[in-house]
Amino acid sequence: MNKKVRQYLGLLLSVVAYYIIHEGAHLLYALAIGVFKRINFMGLGIQIDIYTEKMTDVQIGVFCLVGATATLAAAWLLTAFREKICKVKSPVFRAAAYYITIAMLFVDPLYLSILCVFFGGGDMNGISLLLPETAARILFAVIGVLHAFAFMKLVLPAYQVSFRKTT
């Protein structure tokens, strides 16, 4: 499989993995507290619909926070296991893991620190029930900066060496 196909497949798989992890965390929490309504398919994305009228503000806040928490945990796990992942012989697997790591590291910190202002609050609407929105946005910005540092110092060098060996 050529490099471009691996890249596109990696990008596609990163989108799928993001939705499974992020929305899956919302789904599991909604099921656990008995407020799951349905899954909404919206264009290229999905959204877990819940009965907010059955929830406290704290439950809504936690529901909105668990998606980002799950993707951040996945980012840290993928970063921690980068050396083992880079030893896998399959270049398709490594490309997918690379793009999935990037998605997990940056999508939620970027959205919850900056983009939520321009594209609707989404999870930030609920997270702001737990702490002030400005504090939450600053927290996610700091996480994003830390993730950028981790990417540049840990993830990127490991994958560059790994990809060089296959070309």
Side-chain angles (χ1 to χ4, degrees):
M1 185 176 301
N2 73 36
K3 182 180 175 180
K4 283 287 182 208
V5 173
R6 283 194 309 264
Q7 288 174 329
Y8 286 122
L9 185 58
L11 285 169
L12 175 65
L13 290 172
S14 70
V15 171
V16 171
Y18 175 82
Y19 277 119
I20 288 171
I21 292 169
H22 184 98
E23 297 300 329
H26 288 314
L27 176 62
L28 291 175
Y29 183 75
L31 289 169
I33 65 170
V35 297
F36 173 73
K37 188 186 292 185
R38 69 179 161 265
I39 298 174
N40 294 324
F41 294 91
M42 306 163 32
L44 295 175
I46 63 170
Q47 179 185 49
I48 304 304
D49 198 3
I50 53 174
Y51 293 104
T52 54
E53 65 275 5
K54 296 181 180 180
M55 300 170 72
T56 66
D57 284 353
V58 170
Q59 288 174 319
I60 293 169
V62 170
F63 171 82
C64 291
L65 189 58
V66 295
T69 302
T71 59
L72 297 179
W76 300 332
L77 284 170
L78 288 163
T79 300
F81 289 107
R82 71 194 177 280
E83 297 294 335
K84 290 184 190 262
I85 293 168
C86 287
K87 289 179 183 172
V88 172
K89 291 187 183 199
S90 169
V92 175
F93 178 84
R94 283 182 284 131
Y98 177 68
Y99 286 109
I100 291 168
T101 301
I102 291 170
M104 298 302 150
L105 282 169
F106 295 113
V107 171
D108 282 327
L110 182 61
Y111 184 79
L112 292 169
S113 64
I114 298 168
L115 298 178
C116 65
V117 175
F118 304 105
F119 297 104
D123 285 341
M124 184 54 77
N125 292 333
I127 293 169
S128 65
L129 297 172
L130 299 175
L131 69 157
E133 182 175 337
T134 301
R137 291 182 59 213
I138 290 169
L139 174 64
F140 281 101
V142 168
I143 290 170
V145 169
L146 292 173
H147 283 190
F149 181 77
F151 177 77
M152 295 302 294
K153 295 294 183 183
L154 302 171
V155 176
L156 184 60
Y159 279 96
Q160 283 177 327
V161 168
S162 174
F163 290 138
R164 249 186 252 126
K165 290 179 182 176
T166 60
T167 55

